[in-house]
Amino acid sequence: MSEGRRKKLAGAAVIVLLLAVTGAAGHAFSGRNSGILREDSGIVVKWHSQSRSVFMDILVEAKPPVRREGVEFAPFEVVDDGTPFPANQEYSGVQCNIKDTRTDMISPGQSDGSGTMEEVSTMELNNIVVSVPKGGTRAFGVPVFSTEYYADGEQEAKDEWHDVEGAECPEFDEGMDTARRLIREGYFQKPLEDFLLRYPELEPESRAYRLILTGGGRTDREEDDTSWWELDYVLVTTAENGETVAVAHIDITRVIQAQGYPEWRPAAYRIWSAESGYWRLLEDPLSDRGKAWISQVPDMDFSREDAVRAFVEEQGADFDLLLPGGAEREMDWSCRKEEGFWYDYLIWSGTTDTYELTLAIPLMEEGAGGWYMASRIRKEAADKELCRHTLDVMRKTFHEIPYVHIVKQGESLWSIYLEYGNGYPPYRDFGAFVKSLSLADPDRIYPGQRIAVL
């Protein structure tokens, strides 16, 4: 967004203080470009791990809404089941360590057995290596890595639709319970109407909406005397094919104190446009180029073929993120086994009334986790080969990095040194081994920690 559309808050002291808060808050504040995906209330909700820039250091001079005479929105349904949030929440998401993307040349092979060299983007996701054909747009997060190829005009439309509006809401200053009650009573009805009216191509007045509470909590951080609470909502509507589509996100934050200093500003909110949702509502199905992604089913072990088959057959169309919320779940489903360069794969193929799906699960060694690859493309799409080829390249390049050691209960750096480094260059001694690990705190390791052993 251009600088001409931005208006900075008055007062350098306010900005400096908020920078200190948000920089220290880290994972508690939402970002827009990285995070984990989770299924909540029948939709895919983004939970972000990237820290916000200043929460309200920029107020957007948004284009004004266009109200038409005699046209009104129906009241938005607010979905909040009253679940209490933690009194002192801590970020518990899995850390996602993605190394710089590099360019490689590989020969993935074609269906007729021929092979040609192809330029790919290769990256490391935690301890997993994967490559995708050049030209895809990559979204990184935990535990998901995905790649999509833009349809004609999609990128330009998303750039045009990107919008953020911020405002203070002193009515929320009493706390989360007061804010939730006021929101249930319709606090955001008018701001969201005005926000949606910036996109007349969606015919926003004709749609029904639900405003869904997706998370929140209070954090009191002792190490720097910083306290805040936050709430997150998503506004969804229903597409013509019955799928649930996000059209806006709201985050609300009240900073109580920042590094020991009382925060004098009231609670504030931001409304974010959901450009991908807008495109889904307007996209011509023929121009859909599909989506391919890699994800991990937490706490699952996909090493035994019989157990994997049983698990997937039981899940069917409800397997993890295969289908978007509201999509038809009735599916024809078949499975085959294929040998691969790194792993053998169980591959399911299925169709619903809307999508062609592929699910590929590598049979990795015990303890490697429940990884899978998948692709989804609409049945009427004109060109499906790009999506299929992307998934094929991902399968042929996907593998676990062998030198990542997962700390087990009772292990110490000394025992790990005896396993990997004793007498083996470049580890001349224990001190050199510990230094090579580049640990933040060499005096403390814990079960489940991943250590890159060179």
Side-chain angles (χ1 to χ4, degrees), residues 9 80 86 97 123 210 212 317 382:
L9 283 176
D80 177 354
N97 301 312
M123 63 224 66
R210 288 183 296 150
I212 303 172

Side-chain angles (χ1 to χ4, degrees), residues 328-365:
E328 171 59 46
R329 320 299 283 187
E330 190 68 31
M331 182 167 60
D332 296 323
W333 198 239
S334 62
C335 178
R336 67 184 187 276
K337 185 176 181 179
E338 288 188 3
E339 292 184 0
F341 181 80
W342 294 97
Y343 308 104
D344 289 342
Y345 279 85
L346 294 178
I347 302 176
W348 281 264
S349 299
T351 58
T352 69
D353 65 345
T354 306
Y355 293 106
E356 293 181 4
L357 304 169
T358 302
L359 169 66
I361 294 182
L363 298 172
M364 303 169 72
E365 61 274 12

Side-chain angles (χ1 to χ4, degrees), residues 108-155:
Q110 308 300 319
S111 57
D112 61 2
S114 62
T116 58
M117 297 302 293
E118 178 174 347
E119 188 177 32
V120 296
S121 294
T122 299
M123 63 224 66
E124 295 179 13
L125 171 64
N126 293 333
N127 63 319
I128 294 296
V129 171
V130 63
S131 301
V132 298
K134 296 286 277 187
T137 62
R138 290 169 294 282
F140 300 123
V142 177
V144 172
F145 156 81
S146 68
T147 184
E148 292 184 76
Y149 290 83
Y150 286 133
D152 291 340
E154 181 177 0
Q155 181 61 66

Side-chain angles (χ1 to χ4, degrees), residues 50-61:
Q50 175 182 321
S51 65
R52 294 177 188 167
S53 56
V54 183
F55 179 72
M56 287 295 296
D57 67 333
I58 293 174
L59 291 177
V60 177
E61 293 181 351

